[in-house]
Amino acid sequence: MAWECVIGLEVHVQLKTKSKIFSGASTTFGADANTQACGVDIGLPGVLPVMNREAVLMAARLGIAIGGTINELSVFARKNYFYPDLPKGYQISQFEIPVVEGGQLEIQTAKGPRTIRITRAHLEEDAGKSLHEDFHGLTGIDLNRAGTPLLEVVSEPDLRSPEEAVAYLKKLHTLVRTLKICDGNMQEGSFRCDANVSVRPKGEAQLGTRAELKNINSFRFVERAIYFEIDRQIAVIEDGGSVVQETRLYDPDKDLTRSMRGKEEAHDYRYFPDPDLPPLVITKKELDAIRSAMPELPDAKLTRLASSYELSDGDATLLAADSDLANFFEEAVRAANGESRLIANWILGDLSSALNRESLSISESPVSPEMLGQLINRIKDNTISGKIAKQVFGDLWQGKGQVDDIIQDQGLTQITDSDAISKAVDDVITAFPSQVNQVRAGEEKVIGFLVGQVMKATSGKANPQAVNNLIKSKLSS
Ligand code: ADP
Ligand code: MG
């Protein structure tokens, strides 16, 4: 039988406010355990939560960007459950009236663009962390994360393959980073997702029973976990069994999902409006201010980059996916007065790998867009070859000065003196008679070898194209 899978994602977007959602404690990642949880975060008697306005405005930004409705009045609710990393015994979340309702994201699929509907996005506080390593049979509790603001973005069950789920996740990831509401760091858990997966016979209108795969924190694992889960469910049904609604955990080491617990229903949580918090009100004035300060959104950026610059589709997509990278690109193109393709190559090649190597973000790059633009200028005006440019780039990276100073100080200027090049070519022709004969016999490829020898003899400072032409003319006469 032909099967179809159905996927709905619940993504937890950690909002990058300085302080927690209902307290003044810091949200900085990586502090010593339990140094950043105050009385409010752990629910000591007598304390009261106070709404962090910044988190509300961030939620509204996302709502506007996805074309959703921002509720002028939404309500916080208590979601009650017991767990050691939730000392209050309840999580403050939103239930009946979330801050954002509706909206959509468009994704690209093998069959063309598809619109994925978003059900809602609600604000809530994160729980602490249970630490199972390092404690020899005991569990450590770190409450630093308790009270960190989350925006949970819930999609309709519109996704039809693991690839579509990843495309949707990447789209949302790009969007929250462009909106500057989340740092998107998946290793640190700032962007994580639960995947709801079911299967049904192709053509069937009714949804099958779903399993919820918890806490997946990389694009690759999302894809693999869903693949595994689809196969598992199909096998269960084809064996005459039926899928149980439950929560499952993905194990990346074994590449499988395993049952964690039966799925709770909403009524198990005894949701009720939190009496400590007034309804959340967002004014028209606030929404207008957010609308007028909206940055260029990823889709619009891609369209503009692709039409205003000469770029391959792949490069345009990569640049548009990261607004800081795109800004860097546009500044460098301005500094070089064009050369967009070459600049994109440098940014996505040498610069990105140097940044990755040192775990730096583009905003921390020691090579500025102006420097890169100037470097490109010096390739264009034949001051240096592309190969020497890589050496200059290395020096720029290490902070050894400006482009022209580095070229001057180290005598890297391309040899334009044709006598000097001619002499180097003659020397190589004398030194490699058998390769010369091969070229004369029509083996064009061997010219590359001779050019290489001349470049070596001139420490890379000859213009390779000029050398190539000269060798050809000398050997054809
Ligand atoms: P909860 O998981 O909190 O009970 P919902 O019932 O609203 O919340 O569903 C959460 C997610 O599960 C949504 O993304 C929704 O699209 C998805 N979903 C619901 N039913 C199915 C199904 N049968 N198959 C796949 N996904 C589903
Ligand atoms: Mg859920």
Side-chain angles (χ1 to χ4, degrees), residues 5-11 79 95 117 119-120 122 152-160 168 194-200 206-212 214 233 245 263-266 269 271:
C5 77
V6 173
I7 304 157
L9 297 181
E10 296 164 272
V11 181
K79 180 179 181 178
F95 185 56
R117 293 168 299 158
T119 318
R120 57 191 261 145
H122 62 254
E152 178 172 338
V153 183
V154 183
S155 86
E156 289 288 305
D158 284 350
L159 299 156
R160 291 291 174 272
Y168 168 86
D194 300 345
N196 295 271
V197 181
S198 65
V199 298
R200 62 182 172 188
Q206 215 173 335
L207 294 177
T209 305
R210 72 183 144 126
E212 181 171 355
K214 271 284 174 202
Q233 292 186 10
Q245 180 160 330
K263 171 86 182 105
E264 300 82 357
E265 298 291 343
Y269 289 117
Y271 279 102

